[in-house]
């Protein structure tokens, strides 16, 4: 059970740290961290979480990553569903804790968007569903390529969490204006449960697109990274 607990805790940390920075600190009066700060927060949660739990569970913290690593031959199929369940529950608990915290603010007027992902009216810059789908597929594909490359036995040992954390930071810098950045169905699901918008109705995209992207990325790396080539 240790690896499932590690995935639970790692996903809790990712959602609490990443979405927490967006909800609590992104637009804080005068000292808000903005898009750059939120992007760094997501990258840092994965970097630190991977160092803390990577040796226990592999440090996925993301259903799309688990699916991609399974397709890429790096992950046992028997653990796929338990990992995804652990990730979704961990993320949801983190969002619930954030929900309790925000209610303690003076003049609390509701959760609003609550760092959710979306397209159309729920996109930060009102990008279409097609744009949202495409960017989530492409960025998740490259995220898997980075993960598989950085954790390849031929890669420099000990540096994978740094590469993966920086990749997630870059991903957020690119796509926060488009979808508020998902590339992680557990992260999207967690905050959508507590938002006051129609985020739940758009949640399908943030499961389908990242998983498709992860599969594409895994297949690409299996071809490019093959030692037989």
């Amino acid at each position: 059970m240790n690896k499932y607990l590690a995935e639970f805790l790692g996903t809790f940390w990712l959602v609490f740290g990443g979405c927490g920075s967006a909800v609590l600190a992104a637009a804080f009066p005068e000292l808000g961290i903005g898009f750059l700060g939120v992007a760094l927060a997501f990258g840092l949660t994965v970097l630190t979480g991977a160092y803390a739990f990577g040796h226990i569970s592999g440090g996925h913290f993301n259903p799309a990553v688990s699916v991609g690593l399974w397709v890429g031959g790096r992950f046992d199929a028997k653990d796929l569903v338990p990992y995804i369940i652990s990730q979704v529950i961990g993320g949801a608990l983190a969002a619930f804790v954030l929900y309790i915290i925000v209610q303690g603010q003076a003049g609390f007027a509701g959760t609003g968007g609550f760092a959710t992902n979306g397209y159309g009216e729920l996109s930060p810059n009102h990008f279409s569903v097609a744009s949202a789908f495409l960017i989530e597929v492409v960025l998740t594909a490259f995220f898997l390529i980075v993960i598989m490359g950085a954790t390849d036995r031929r890669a420099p040992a000990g540096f994978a969490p740094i590469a993966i954390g920086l990749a997630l930071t870059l991903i957020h810098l690119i796509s926060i204006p488009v979808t508020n950045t998902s590339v992680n169905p557990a992260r999207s699901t967690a905050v959508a449960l507590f938002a006051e918008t129609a985020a739940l109705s758009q949640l399908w995209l943030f499961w389908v697109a990242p998983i498709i992207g992860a599969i594409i990325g895994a297949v690409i790396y299996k071809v490019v990274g093959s030692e037989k080539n």
Side-chain angles (χ1 to χ4, degrees):
M1 292 296 294
N2 284 0
K3 56 190 176 184
Y4 305 142
L5 182 58
E7 285 298 303
F8 169 88
L9 292 171
T11 313
F12 179 101
W13 183 231
L14 185 150
V15 172
F16 190 79
C19 295
S21 71
V23 170
L24 302 173
F28 190 79
E30 298 180 10
L31 296 175
I33 61 174
F35 282 1
L36 176 59
V38 173
L40 285 170
F42 272 101
L44 289 171
T45 60
V46 167
L47 189 157
T48 54
Y51 274 121
F53 303 115
H55 58 287
I56 302 171
S57 68
H60 301 186
F61 317 143
N62 181 336
V65 169
S66 295
V67 171
L69 291 177
W70 167 62
V71 171
R74 301 279 191 90
F75 186 56
D76 196 326
K78 70 179 177 61
D79 286 324
L80 185 58
V81 171
Y83 263 51
I84 292 173
I85 292 172
S86 299
Q87 293 156 358
V88 171
I89 294 173
L93 181 59
F96 176 70
V97 173
L98 280 174
Y99 176 71
I100 298 300
I101 291 170
V102 299
Q103 292 184 72
Q105 183 180 21
F108 173 72
T111 57
F114 207 55
T116 50
N117 305 114
Y119 54 83
E121 289 301 312
L122 298 186
S123 161
N125 273 354
H126 306 295
F127 280 84
S128 69
V129 61
S131 295
F133 195 93
L134 183 58
I135 200 166
E136 290 288 331
V137 168
V138 171
L139 291 178
T140 313
F142 272 93
F143 193 36
L144 257 291
I145 291 169
V146 170
I147 290 170
M148 292 186 69
T151 56
D152 194 298
R153 65 177 184 81
R154 296 165 292 173
F159 292 99
I162 297 174
I164 295 166
L166 289 175
L168 190 60
T169 299
L170 175 59
I171 285 168
H172 278 78
L173 289 174
I174 296 167
S175 60
I176 285 177
V178 183
T179 61
N180 216 21
T181 310
S182 174
V183 303
N184 184 337
R187 167 261 190 272
S188 298
T189 302
V191 287
L193 295 173
F194 300 95
E196 295 176 335
T197 66
L200 280 174
S201 70
Q202 298 188 359
L203 190 57
W204 66 271
L205 187 147
F206 302 104
W207 276 87
V208 175
I211 288 174
I212 290 174
I215 292 170
I216 292 171
V219 171
I220 290 173
Y221 190 78
K222 282 184 74 174
V223 173
V224 175
S226 173
E227 295 183 55
K228 296 178 181 179
N229 291 339

